[in-house]
Amino acid sequence: MSAIDHYINALVLQGEREARQDGSAAVEAHHVLLAIAGHEDTAARRVLLAAGLDRQAIRDALDREFEHSLNAAGVSLAAFSGPPATPDHKRRVGMGASLKLALERGFGAATGKKDLRPAHVLLGILEAEVGTVPRALAQAGADRAELIARVRATTANESW
């Protein structure tokens, strides 16, 4: 397996842990965004950190996005006091649609597999125009267009 294969595999496995922790049925793009933010020593993580988006900041933004989305549907999260999701560590969660699309976008941004870098995965996630990630980034006060520009610049210069 190549270095990018190992990286993507590690992200998907960490994303699966994130999804399971959330009680999610699938690994979605926001789970892998959390994984990228926690994956040491990559340009993708450094771009996030430079924008003030460490793993905890992203988690907080995702929590605010969830509450905001519920409020938009007329549901108050504060009205419920149930326990957090109980993770089922034995259940394998599948890859969700938002992650599949993000990977397609990211892979499509590279000229070929030999040119694929970790930042391409982040680029594919950030380029989603609708969904959880763009709403969470807005909740965090992040400029998605600026992040995309930084990641694009990074993909041109990133090496293993």
Side-chain angles (χ1 to χ4, degrees):
M1 243 198 293
S2 69
I4 192 66
D5 292 326
H6 284 288
Y7 176 75
I8 292 168
N9 187 53
L11 288 182
V12 171
L13 289 174
Q14 180 59 36
E16 185 176 320
R17 287 189 285 276
E18 298 285 354
R20 198 177 291 114
Q21 189 69 31
D22 282 350
S24 297
V27 182
E28 297 292 352
H30 65 277
H31 297 120
V32 173
L33 180 61
L34 287 165
I36 291 169
H39 198 92
E40 298 289 328
D41 202 34
T42 63
R45 181 173 187 258
R46 288 189 293 277
V47 168
L48 291 172
L49 291 175
L53 296 170
D54 63 8
R55 190 190 175 288
Q56 189 58 53
I58 293 169
R59 176 79 264 166
D60 293 345
L62 288 166
D63 290 345
R64 287 191 308 275
E65 184 281 328
F66 180 68
E67 186 170 3
H68 185 267
S69 292
L70 286 177
N71 287 337
V75 177
S76 171
L77 189 58
F80 297 94
S81 61
T86 303
D88 180 355
H89 298 288
K90 295 177 186 167
R91 179 178 58 91
R92 181 141 175 104
V93 291
M95 194 178 296
S98 67
L99 179 55
K100 289 177 185 176
L101 290 170
L103 291 175
E104 284 180 25
R105 284 189 300 269
F107 296 168
T111 55
K113 185 173 179 182
K114 65 178 176 41
D115 296 319
L116 192 60
R117 299 290 183 259
H120 286 104
V121 178
L122 178 57
L123 182 62
I125 292 170
L126 295 175
E127 284 186 333
E129 294 183 20
V130 296
T132 301
V133 170
R135 290 190 308 263
L137 291 173
Q139 288 289 326
D143 183 339
R144 193 174 65 85
E146 172 67 23
L147 280 170
I148 290 169
R150 286 184 187 186
V151 173
R152 285 189 185 281
T154 298
T155 60
N157 302 319
E158 185 180 24
S159 64
W160 288 97

